[in-house]
Amino acid sequence: MQTRKITKADYDEIVQVIDRWWGGPISTFAHPIFFYELGDNALIVEHEGRLVGFLLGFIVFKTPKTGYVHLVGIHPDFRRQGVGRLLYEQFTERCRSLACERMKAITTVGHEGSMRFHEALGWRADEVEDYAGQGRKRIVFTKTLPGAAGASS
Ligand SMILES: CC(C)(COP(=O)(O)OP(=O)(O)OC[C@H]1O[C@@H](n2cnc3c(N)ncnc32)[C@H](O)[C@@H]1OP(=O)(O)O)[C@@H](O)C(=O)NCCC(=O)NCCS
């Protein structure tokens, strides 16, 4: 499997498949800003020329400098084959090379697959009340990068 920078054709395909991959409407999360503005922080994985996973991330320049994973999605037929891990490793490596001190992502409460995935990769999970507005708690995942100071949300 290969990772590479996303292209417009990849983005167009993601917009078409994303609701199916998630099993529900989520296409607003793939806003065009994440293709046009993320540059090298948006990655895809191909298998035999087929799009099987993507990661949309960016760098947060406030302290602590953070690599943020906005959205990661793996084709349902290619889950549990290390595609998500590969994308996270590549993006984390990029963030480390750009002097990020930690990584961050969020998910909704009860999203067990995402919880187990982040735990398996050694990320910390904290439930934060009102994170996305009143009554809208979220799970905030963080991972301190080696050599960096402690993480905070
Ligand atoms: C969550 C998701 C990104 C994981 O991607 P993946 O390619 O299947 O994950 P990997 O194969 O790299 O898994 C690495 C490890 O994470 C853990 N893991 C991943 N998915 C899991 C699941 N559904 N249940 C339990 N553990 C899981 C396992 O320990 C796994 O290692 P193993 O397969 O050797 O046991 C993928 O299931 C997905 O796209 N889900 C729908 C979208 C989503 O939830 N995105 C994340 C939140 S925005």
Coordinates of all heavy atoms in Angstrom, one line a residue, residues 25-111:
P25 N -24.8 10.2 7.0 CA -24.4 11.5 6.4 C -23.3 12.1 7.2 O -23.4 12.4 8.4 CB -25.7 12.3 6.4 CG -26.5 11.7 7.4 CD -26.1 10.2 7.6
I26 N -22.2 12.4 6.5 CA -21.0 13.1 7.1 C -20.3 13.9 6.1 O -19.2 14.5 6.4 CB -20.1 12.0 7.8 CG1 -19.0 12.7 8.6 CG2 -19.4 11.1 6.7 CD1 -18.2 11.8 9.5
S27 N -20.9 14.1 4.9 CA -20.1 14.7 3.8 C -19.7 16.2 4.1 O -18.8 16.7 3.6 CB -20.9 14.7 2.5 OG -22.2 15.2 2.7
T28 N -20.4 16.8 5.1 CA -20.0 18.2 5.4 C -18.6 18.2 6.0 O -17.9 19.3 5.9 CB -21.0 18.9 6.4 OG1 -21.2 18.0 7.5 CG2 -22.3 19.2 5.8
F29 N -18.2 17.1 6.6 CA -16.8 17.1 7.1 C -15.8 17.1 6.1 O -14.6 17.4 6.3 CB -16.7 15.8 8.0 CG -17.3 15.9 9.3 CD1 -18.6 15.8 9.5 CD2 -16.5 16.1 10.4 CE1 -19.2 15.9 10.8 CE2 -17.0 16.2 11.7 CZ -18.4 16.1 11.9
A30 N -16.2 16.8 4.8 CA -15.2 16.8 3.7 C -15.4 18.1 2.9 O -15.3 18.1 1.7 CB -15.4 15.6 2.8
H31 N -15.5 19.2 3.7 CA -15.7 20.6 3.1 C -14.5 20.8 2.1 O -13.4 20.4 2.4 CB -15.6 21.6 4.2 CG -16.0 23.0 3.8 ND1 -15.1 23.8 3.1 CD2 -17.1 23.7 3.9 CE1 -15.7 24.9 2.9 NE2 -16.9 24.9 3.3
P32 N -14.7 21.5 1.0 CA -13.6 21.7 0.0 C -12.4 22.4 0.6 O -11.3 22.2 0.1 CB -14.2 22.5 -1.1 CG -15.6 22.7 -0.7 CD -16.0 21.9 0.5
I33 N -12.5 23.1 1.7 CA -11.4 23.8 2.3 C -10.3 22.7 2.6 O -9.1 23.0 2.6 CB -11.8 24.5 3.6 CG1 -10.7 25.5 4.1 CG2 -12.2 23.6 4.7 CD1 -11.1 26.4 5.2
F34 N -10.7 21.5 3.0 CA -9.8 20.5 3.4 C -9.0 19.9 2.2 O -8.0 19.3 2.4 CB -10.4 19.4 4.2 CG -11.0 19.9 5.5 CD1 -12.4 20.0 5.6 CD2 -10.2 20.4 6.5 CE1 -12.9 20.6 6.8 CE2 -10.7 20.9 7.6 CZ -12.1 21.0 7.8
F35 N -9.5 20.1 1.0 CA -8.7 19.8 -0.1 C -7.9 20.9 -0.6 O -6.6 20.8 -0.8 CB -9.6 19.3 -1.3 CG -8.8 19.2 -2.6 CD1 -7.7 18.3 -2.7 CD2 -9.0 20.2 -3.6 CE1 -6.9 18.4 -3.9 CE2 -8.2 20.2 -4.7 CZ -7.2 19.3 -4.9
Y36 N -8.5 22.1 -0.7 CA -7.8 23.2 -1.3 C -6.7 23.8 -0.4 O -5.7 24.4 -0.9 CB -8.8 24.3 -1.8 CG -9.6 23.9 -3.0 CD1 -10.9 23.4 -2.8 CD2 -9.0 23.9 -4.3 CE1 -11.6 23.0 -3.9 CE2 -9.7 23.5 -5.4 CZ -11.0 23.1 -5.2 OH -11.7 22.6 -6.3
E37 N -6.9 23.7 0.9 CA -6.0 24.5 1.8 C -5.0 23.6 2.6 O -4.1 24.1 3.2 CB -6.8 25.3 2.8 CG -8.0 26.1 2.1 CD -7.5 27.0 1.0 OE1 -6.4 27.4 0.9 OE2 -8.4 27.4 0.2
L38 N -5.2 22.3 2.6 CA -4.4 21.5 3.5 C -3.0 21.1 2.9 O -2.1 20.8 3.7 CB -5.1 20.2 4.0 CG -6.3 20.4 4.8 CD1 -6.9 19.1 5.3 CD2 -6.1 21.3 6.0
G39 N -2.9 21.1 1.6 CA -1.6 20.8 1.0 C -1.1 19.4 1.4 O -1.8 18.4 1.3
D40 N 0.1 19.3 1.8 CA 0.8 18.1 2.2 C 0.2 17.4 3.4 O 0.6 16.3 3.7 CB 2.3 18.3 2.4 CG 3.0 18.7 1.1 OD1 2.4 18.4 0.0 OD2 4.1 19.2 1.1
N41 N -0.7 18.0 4.1 CA -1.3 17.4 5.3 C -2.6 16.6 5.0 O -3.2 16.1 5.9 CB -1.6 18.5 6.3 CG -0.4 19.3 6.7 OD1 0.6 18.7 7.0 ND2 -0.5 20.6 6.7
A42 N -2.9 16.5 3.7 CA -4.0 15.6 3.3 C -3.4 14.5 2.5 O -2.7 14.7 1.5 CB -5.0 16.4 2.4
L43 N -3.6 13.3 3.0 CA -3.0 12.1 2.4 C -4.0 11.0 2.0 O -5.1 10.9 2.6 CB -2.1 11.4 3.5 CG -0.9 12.2 4.0 CD1 -0.3 11.5 5.2 CD2 0.1 12.4 3.0
I44 N -3.7 10.2 1.0 CA -4.5 9.1 0.7 C -3.7 7.8 0.6 O -2.5 7.9 0.5 CB -5.3 9.3 -0.6 CG1 -4.4 9.3 -1.8 CG2 -6.2 10.5 -0.6 CD1 -4.7 8.2 -2.8
V45 N -4.3 6.7 0.8 CA -3.7 5.4 0.6 C -4.3 4.7 -0.6 O -5.6 4.7 -0.7 CB -3.8 4.5 1.8 CG1 -3.2 3.1 1.5 CG2 -3.1 5.1 3.0
E46 N -3.5 4.2 -1.5 CA -4.0 3.4 -2.7 C -3.6 2.0 -2.5 O -2.5 1.7 -2.0 CB -3.3 4.0 -3.9 CG -4.0 5.1 -4.6 CD -3.2 5.5 -5.9 OE1 -2.0 5.4 -5.9 OE2 -3.9 5.9 -6.7
H47 N -4.4 1.1 -3.1 CA -4.1 -0.3 -3.2 C -4.5 -0.7 -4.6 O -5.6 -0.6 -5.0 CB -4.8 -1.1 -2.2 CG -4.6 -2.6 -2.3 ND1 -3.3 -3.1 -2.1 CD2 -5.4 -3.6 -2.6 CE1 -3.4 -4.4 -2.3 NE2 -4.6 -4.8 -2.6
E48 N -3.4 -1.1 -5.4 CA -3.6 -1.4 -6.8 C -4.5 -0.4 -7.5 O -5.4 -0.7 -8.2 CB -4.3 -2.8 -6.9 CG -3.4 -3.9 -6.3 CD -4.0 -5.3 -6.3 OE1 -5.2 -5.4 -6.5 OE2 -3.2 -6.2 -6.0
G49 N -4.1 0.9 -7.3 CA -4.7 2.0 -8.0 C -6.1 2.4 -7.5 O -6.7 3.3 -8.1
R50 N -6.5 1.8 -6.4 CA -7.8 2.1 -5.9 C -7.7 2.9 -4.6 O -6.8 2.5 -3.7 CB -8.5 0.7 -5.6 CG -9.9 0.8 -5.1 CD -10.4 -0.6 -5.1 NE -11.7 -0.7 -4.5 CZ -12.3 -1.8 -4.0 NH1 -11.6 -2.9 -4.1 NH2 -13.5 -1.7 -3.5
L51 N -8.5 3.9 -4.4 CA -8.5 4.7 -3.1 C -9.0 3.9 -2.0 O -10.2 3.4 -2.1 CB -9.3 6.0 -3.3 CG -9.5 6.9 -2.1 CD1 -8.2 7.7 -1.9 CD2 -10.7 7.8 -2.3
V52 N -8.3 3.6 -1.0 CA -8.8 2.7 0.1 C -8.7 3.5 1.5 O -9.2 2.9 2.5 CB -8.0 1.4 0.2 CG1 -8.2 0.6 -1.0 CG2 -6.5 1.6 0.6
G53 N -8.2 4.7 1.5 CA -8.2 5.4 2.8 C -7.7 6.8 2.6 O -7.0 7.1 1.6
F54 N -8.1 7.7 3.5 CA -7.6 9.1 3.5 C -7.5 9.7 4.8 O -8.1 9.2 5.8 CB -8.5 10.0 2.6 CG -9.9 10.1 3.2 CD1 -10.2 11.2 4.1 CD2 -10.9 9.3 2.9 CE1 -11.4 11.3 4.6 CE2 -12.2 9.4 3.4 CZ -12.5 10.4 4.3
L55 N -6.7 10.7 5.0 CA -6.5 11.4 6.2 C -6.4 12.9 5.9 O -5.6 13.3 5.0 CB -5.2 11.0 6.9 CG -4.9 11.7 8.3 CD1 -4.0 10.7 9.1 CD2 -4.2 13.0 8.1
L56 N -7.3 13.7 6.5 CA -7.3 15.2 6.3 C -6.8 15.8 7.6 O -7.4 15.6 8.7 CB -8.7 15.7 6.0 CG -9.4 15.0 4.8 CD1 -10.8 15.6 4.6 CD2 -8.6 15.2 3.5
G57 N -5.6 16.4 7.6 CA -5.0 16.9 8.8 C -4.5 18.3 8.6 O -4.5 18.8 7.4
F58 N -4.1 19.0 9.6 CA -3.4 20.3 9.5 C -2.6 20.5 10.8 O -2.7 19.8 11.7 CB -4.5 21.4 9.3 CG -5.5 21.5 10.3 CD1 -5.4 22.2 11.5 CD2 -6.7 20.8 10.1 CE1 -6.4 22.3 12.4 CE2 -7.8 20.9 11.1 CZ -7.6 21.6 12.2
I59 N -1.8 21.6 10.7 CA -0.9 21.9 11.8 C -1.5 23.2 12.6 O -1.9 24.1 11.9 CB 0.5 22.3 11.3 CG1 1.1 21.3 10.4 CG2 1.5 22.6 12.5 CD1 1.4 20.0 11.0
V60 N -1.6 23.0 13.9 CA -2.1 24.2 14.7 C -0.8 24.9 15.3 O -0.1 24.2 16.0 CB -3.0 23.6 15.8 CG1 -3.5 24.8 16.7 CG2 -4.1 22.8 15.3
F61 N -0.7 26.2 15.0 CA 0.5 26.9 15.4 C 0.5 27.5 16.7 O 1.5 28.1 17.1 CB 0.9 27.9 14.3 CG 1.5 27.2 13.1 CD1 0.7 26.7 12.0 CD2 2.8 27.0 13.0 CE1 1.2 26.1 10.9 CE2 3.4 26.3 11.9 CZ 2.6 25.9 10.9
K62 N -0.6 27.4 17.5 CA -0.6 27.9 18.9 C 0.2 26.9 19.7 O 0.4 25.8 19.3 CB -2.0 28.2 19.4 CG -2.8 26.9 19.6 CD -4.2 27.3 20.1 CE -4.9 26.0 20.6 NZ -6.3 26.3 21.0
T63 N 0.5 27.3 20.9 CA 1.3 26.4 21.8 C 0.4 25.5 22.6 O -0.6 26.0 23.1 CB 2.1 27.3 22.8 OG1 2.9 28.2 22.1 CG2 3.0 26.4 23.7
P64 N 0.6 24.2 22.7 CA 1.7 23.5 22.0 C 1.4 23.2 20.5 O 0.3 22.9 20.2 CB 1.7 22.1 22.8 CG 0.3 21.9 23.2 CD -0.3 23.3 23.5
K65 N 2.4 23.4 19.7 CA 2.3 23.2 18.3 C 1.8 21.7 18.1 O 2.3 20.8 18.6 CB 3.6 23.4 17.6 CG 3.5 23.4 16.1 CD 4.8 23.8 15.5 CE 4.8 23.8 14.0 NZ 6.1 24.0 13.4
T66 N 0.7 21.6 17.3 CA -0.1 20.4 17.3 C -0.4 19.9 15.9 O -0.8 20.7 15.0 CB -1.4 20.6 18.0 OG1 -1.1 20.9 19.4 CG2 -2.3 19.4 18.0
G67 N -0.3 18.6 15.6 CA -0.7 18.0 14.4 C -2.1 17.5 14.6 O -2.4 16.7 15.5
Y68 N -3.1 18.1 13.9 CA -4.5 17.8 14.1 C -5.1 16.9 13.0 O -5.0 17.3 11.8 CB -5.3 19.1 14.2 CG -6.7 18.9 14.7 CD1 -7.0 19.2 16.1 CD2 -7.7 18.5 13.9 CE1 -8.3 19.0 16.5 CE2 -9.0 18.3 14.3 CZ -9.3 18.6 15.7 OH -10.6 18.4 16.1
V69 N -5.7 15.8 13.4 CA -6.3 14.9 12.4 C -7.8 15.3 12.4 O -8.5 15.0 13.3 CB -6.2 13.4 12.7 CG1 -6.9 12.6 11.7 CG2 -4.7 13.0 12.8
H70 N -8.2 16.0 11.3 CA -9.6 16.4 11.2 C -10.5 15.2 10.9 O -11.6 15.0 11.4 CB -9.7 17.5 10.1 CG -11.1 17.7 9.6 ND1 -12.1 18.2 10.5 CD2 -11.7 17.5 8.4 CE1 -13.3 18.3 9.8 NE2 -13.0 17.8 8.6
L71 N -10.0 14.4 9.9 CA -10.9 13.3 9.5 C -10.0 12.2 8.9 O -9.1 12.4 8.2 CB -11.8 13.8 8.4 CG -13.1 13.0 8.0 CD1 -14.0 12.9 9.3 CD2 -13.8 13.6 6.9
V72 N -10.3 10.9 9.3 CA -9.7 9.8 8.7 C -10.7 8.8 8.3 O -11.7 8.6 9.1 CB -8.6 9.2 9.7 CG1 -9.2 8.6 10.9 CG2 -7.8 8.1 9.0
G73 N -10.6 8.2 7.2 CA -11.6 7.2 6.7 C -11.0 6.1 5.9 O -10.1 6.4 5.1
I74 N -11.4 4.9 6.2 CA -10.9 3.7 5.5 C -12.0 3.0 4.8 O -13.1 2.8 5.4 CB -10.2 2.7 6.5 CG1 -9.2 3.5 7.4 CG2 -9.5 1.6 5.7 CD1 -8.1 4.3 6.7
H75 N -11.8 2.6 3.6 CA -12.8 1.8 2.8 C -13.3 0.6 3.7 O -12.4 -0.1 4.2 CB -12.2 1.3 1.5 CG -13.2 0.7 0.6 ND1 -13.9 -0.4 0.9 CD2 -13.5 1.0 -0.7 CE1 -14.7 -0.8 -0.1 NE2 -14.5 0.1 -1.1
P76 N -14.6 0.4 3.8 CA -15.0 -0.7 4.7 C -14.4 -2.1 4.4 O -14.2 -2.9 5.3 CB -16.5 -0.8 4.5 CG -16.9 0.6 4.0 CD -15.7 1.2 3.3
D77 N -14.1 -2.3 3.1 CA -13.5 -3.6 2.8 C -12.0 -3.7 3.1 O -11.4 -4.8 3.0 CB -13.6 -3.9 1.2 CG -15.0 -4.0 0.8 OD1 -15.9 -4.2 1.6 OD2 -15.3 -3.9 -0.4
F78 N -11.4 -2.6 3.5 CA -10.0 -2.6 3.8 C -9.7 -2.3 5.3 O -8.5 -1.9 5.6 CB -9.3 -1.6 2.9 CG -9.2 -2.1 1.5 CD1 -10.3 -1.9 0.6 CD2 -8.1 -2.8 1.0 CE1 -10.2 -2.4 -0.7 CE2 -8.0 -3.3 -0.3 CZ -9.1 -3.1 -1.1
R79 N -10.7 -2.4 6.1 CA -10.4 -2.1 7.6 C -9.7 -3.2 8.2 O -9.7 -4.4 7.8 CB -11.8 -1.8 8.3 CG -12.3 -0.5 7.7 CD -13.5 0.1 8.5 NE -13.9 1.3 7.8 CZ -15.2 1.8 7.8 NH1 -16.1 1.2 8.6 NH2 -15.5 2.8 7.1
R80 N -9.1 -2.9 9.3 CA -8.3 -3.9 10.1 C -7.1 -4.5 9.3 O -6.8 -5.6 9.5 CB -9.2 -5.0 10.7 CG -10.3 -4.4 11.6 CD -9.8 -3.6 12.8 NE -9.1 -4.4 13.8 CZ -9.7 -4.9 14.9 NH1 -10.9 -4.8 15.1 NH2 -8.9 -5.6 15.7
Q81 N -6.6 -3.7 8.4 CA -5.5 -4.2 7.6 C -4.3 -3.2 7.7 O -3.4 -3.2 6.9 CB -5.9 -4.4 6.1 CG -6.9 -5.4 5.9 CD -7.4 -5.5 4.5 OE1 -6.5 -5.5 3.5 NE2 -8.6 -5.7 4.3
G82 N -4.4 -2.3 8.7 CA -3.3 -1.4 9.0 C -3.3 -0.1 8.1 O -2.3 0.6 8.2
V83 N -4.3 0.1 7.4 CA -4.4 1.3 6.6 C -4.4 2.6 7.4 O -3.7 3.6 7.2 CB -5.5 1.3 5.5 CG1 -5.5 2.5 4.7 CG2 -5.5 0.0 4.7
G84 N -5.3 2.6 8.4 CA -5.4 3.7 9.3 C -4.1 4.0 10.1 O -3.6 5.1 10.2
R85 N -3.5 2.9 10.5 CA -2.2 3.0 11.2 C -1.2 3.6 10.3 O -0.4 4.5 10.7 CB -1.8 1.6 11.7 CG -0.5 1.6 12.6 CD 0.0 0.2 12.8 NE -0.9 -0.6 13.6 CZ -0.9 -0.6 14.9 NH1 0.0 0.1 15.6 NH2 -1.7 -1.4 15.6
L86 N -1.1 3.2 9.1 CA -0.2 3.7 8.1 C -0.4 5.2 7.9 O 0.6 6.0 8.0 CB -0.3 3.0 6.8 CG 0.6 3.5 5.6 CD1 2.0 3.2 5.9 CD2 0.1 2.8 4.3
L87 N -1.6 5.6 7.7 CA -1.9 7.1 7.5 C -1.5 7.9 8.8 O -0.9 8.9 8.7 CB -3.4 7.3 7.2 CG -3.8 7.0 5.8 CD1 -5.3 6.8 5.7 CD2 -3.3 8.1 4.9
Y88 N -1.8 7.4 10.0 CA -1.4 8.1 11.2 C 0.1 8.1 11.4 O 0.6 9.1 11.8 CB -2.1 7.4 12.4 CG -3.4 8.0 12.8 CD1 -4.4 8.2 11.9 CD2 -3.6 8.5 14.1 CE1 -5.6 8.8 12.3 CE2 -4.8 9.1 14.5 CZ -5.8 9.3 13.6 OH -7.0 9.9 14.0
E89 N 0.8 7.0 11.1 CA 2.2 7.0 11.2 C 2.8 8.1 10.3 O 3.7 8.8 10.6 CB 2.8 5.6 10.9 CG 2.6 4.7 12.1 CD 3.0 3.3 11.8 OE1 3.4 3.0 10.6 OE2 2.9 2.4 12.7
Q90 N 2.4 8.1 9.0 CA 2.9 9.1 8.1 C 2.7 10.5 8.5 O 3.6 11.3 8.4 CB 2.3 8.8 6.7 CG 2.6 7.5 6.1 CD 3.8 7.5 5.1 OE1 3.9 8.5 4.4 NE2 4.6 6.5 5.1
F91 N 1.4 10.8 8.9 CA 1.1 12.2 9.3 C 1.8 12.5 10.6 O 2.3 13.7 10.7 CB -0.4 12.3 9.4 CG -0.8 13.7 9.7 CD1 -0.4 14.8 8.9 CD2 -1.6 14.0 10.9 CE1 -0.8 16.1 9.2 CE2 -1.9 15.3 11.2 CZ -1.5 16.4 10.3
T92 N 1.9 11.6 11.5 CA 2.6 11.9 12.8 C 4.1 12.2 12.5 O 4.7 13.1 13.1 CB 2.5 10.7 13.7 OG1 1.1 10.5 14.0 CG2 3.2 11.0 15.0
E93 N 4.7 11.4 11.6 CA 6.1 11.6 11.2 C 6.3 13.0 10.6 O 7.3 13.7 10.9 CB 6.5 10.5 10.3 CG 8.0 10.3 10.2 CD 8.7 10.3 11.6 OE1 8.2 9.6 12.5 OE2 9.6 11.1 11.8
R94 N 5.4 13.4 9.8 CA 5.4 14.7 9.2 C 5.3 15.8 10.2 O 6.1 16.8 10.2 CB 4.3 14.9 8.1 CG 4.2 16.2 7.6 CD 3.2 16.3 6.4 NE 2.9 17.7 6.2 CZ 3.7 18.6 5.6 NH1 4.8 18.2 5.1 NH2 3.3 19.8 5.4
C95 N 4.4 15.6 11.2 CA 4.2 16.6 12.2 C 5.5 16.7 13.1 O 5.9 17.8 13.5 CB 3.0 16.3 13.1 SG 1.5 16.4 12.1
R96 N 6.0 15.6 13.4 CA 7.3 15.5 14.2 C 8.4 16.3 13.5 O 9.1 17.1 14.1 CB 7.7 14.1 14.5 CG 8.9 14.0 15.4 CD 9.2 12.5 15.7 NE 8.3 11.9 16.6 CZ 7.6 10.8 16.3 NH1 7.7 10.2 15.2 NH2 6.8 10.3 17.3
S97 N 8.5 16.1 12.2 CA 9.5 16.8 11.4 C 9.3 18.3 11.4 O 10.2 19.0 11.1 CB 9.6 16.2 10.0 OG 8.5 16.6 9.2
L98 N 8.0 18.7 11.6 CA 7.7 20.1 11.6 C 7.7 20.7 13.0 O 7.1 21.7 13.3 CB 6.4 20.3 10.9 CG 6.3 20.0 9.4 CD1 4.9 20.0 8.9 CD2 7.2 21.0 8.6
A99 N 8.3 19.9 14.0 CA 8.5 20.3 15.4 C 7.2 20.4 16.1 O 7.1 21.2 17.1 CB 9.2 21.6 15.4
C100 N 6.2 19.6 15.8 CA 4.9 19.6 16.6 C 5.3 18.8 17.9 O 6.1 17.9 17.9 CB 3.8 18.8 15.9 SG 3.2 19.7 14.5
E101 N 4.6 19.3 19.0 CA 4.8 18.7 20.3 C 3.8 17.6 20.6 O 4.0 16.8 21.5 CB 4.8 19.7 21.4 CG 5.9 20.7 21.2 CD 5.7 21.9 22.3 OE1 5.6 21.5 23.5 OE2 5.7 23.0 21.9
R102 N 2.7 17.6 19.9 CA 1.6 16.6 20.2 C 0.7 16.5 19.0 O 0.7 17.3 18.1 CB 0.8 17.0 21.4 CG 0.0 18.2 21.2 CD -1.1 18.4 22.2 NE -1.9 19.5 21.8 CZ -3.1 19.8 22.3 NH1 -3.5 19.2 23.4 NH2 -3.8 20.8 21.9
M103 N -0.1 15.4 19.1 CA -1.1 15.2 18.0 C -2.5 15.3 18.7 O -2.6 15.0 19.9 CB -0.9 13.7 17.5 CG 0.4 13.5 16.9 SD 0.9 14.5 15.5 CE -0.3 14.0 14.3
K104 N -3.5 15.6 17.9 CA -4.9 15.7 18.5 C -5.9 15.3 17.5 O -5.7 15.5 16.2 CB -5.1 17.1 18.9 CG -6.4 17.4 19.6 CD -6.5 18.8 20.1 CE -7.9 19.1 20.7 NZ -8.1 20.4 21.2
A105 N -7.0 14.8 17.9 CA -8.2 14.4 17.1 C -9.4 14.4 18.0 O -9.2 14.3 19.3 CB -8.0 13.1 16.4
I106 N -10.6 14.4 17.5 CA -11.8 14.3 18.3 C -12.7 13.3 17.7 O -12.7 13.0 16.5 CB -12.5 15.6 18.6 CG1 -13.1 16.2 17.3 CG2 -11.6 16.6 19.3 CD1 -14.1 17.3 17.6
T107 N -13.6 12.8 18.5 CA -14.7 11.9 18.0 C -15.9 12.1 18.9 O -15.8 12.7 20.0 CB -14.3 10.5 17.8 OG1 -15.3 9.8 17.0 CG2 -14.3 9.7 19.2
T108 N -17.1 11.6 18.4 CA -18.3 11.7 19.2 C -18.3 10.5 20.2 O -17.7 9.5 20.0 CB -19.5 11.6 18.4 OG1 -19.4 10.6 17.4 CG2 -19.7 12.9 17.6
V109 N -19.0 10.7 21.3 CA -19.1 9.7 22.4 C -19.8 8.4 21.8 O -20.8 8.6 21.0 CB -19.9 10.2 23.6 CG1 -20.1 9.1 24.6 CG2 -19.1 11.4 24.2
G110 N -19.3 7.3 22.1 CA -19.9 6.0 21.6 C -19.4 5.5 20.3 O -19.8 4.5 19.8
H111 N -18.4 6.2 19.8 CA -17.8 5.8 18.5 C -16.7 4.8 18.8 O -15.5 5.2 18.8 CB -17.3 7.1 17.8 CG -17.0 6.9 16.3 ND1 -16.9 7.9 15.5 CD2 -16.9 5.8 15.6 CE1 -16.7 7.5 14.3 NE2 -16.6 6.2 14.3

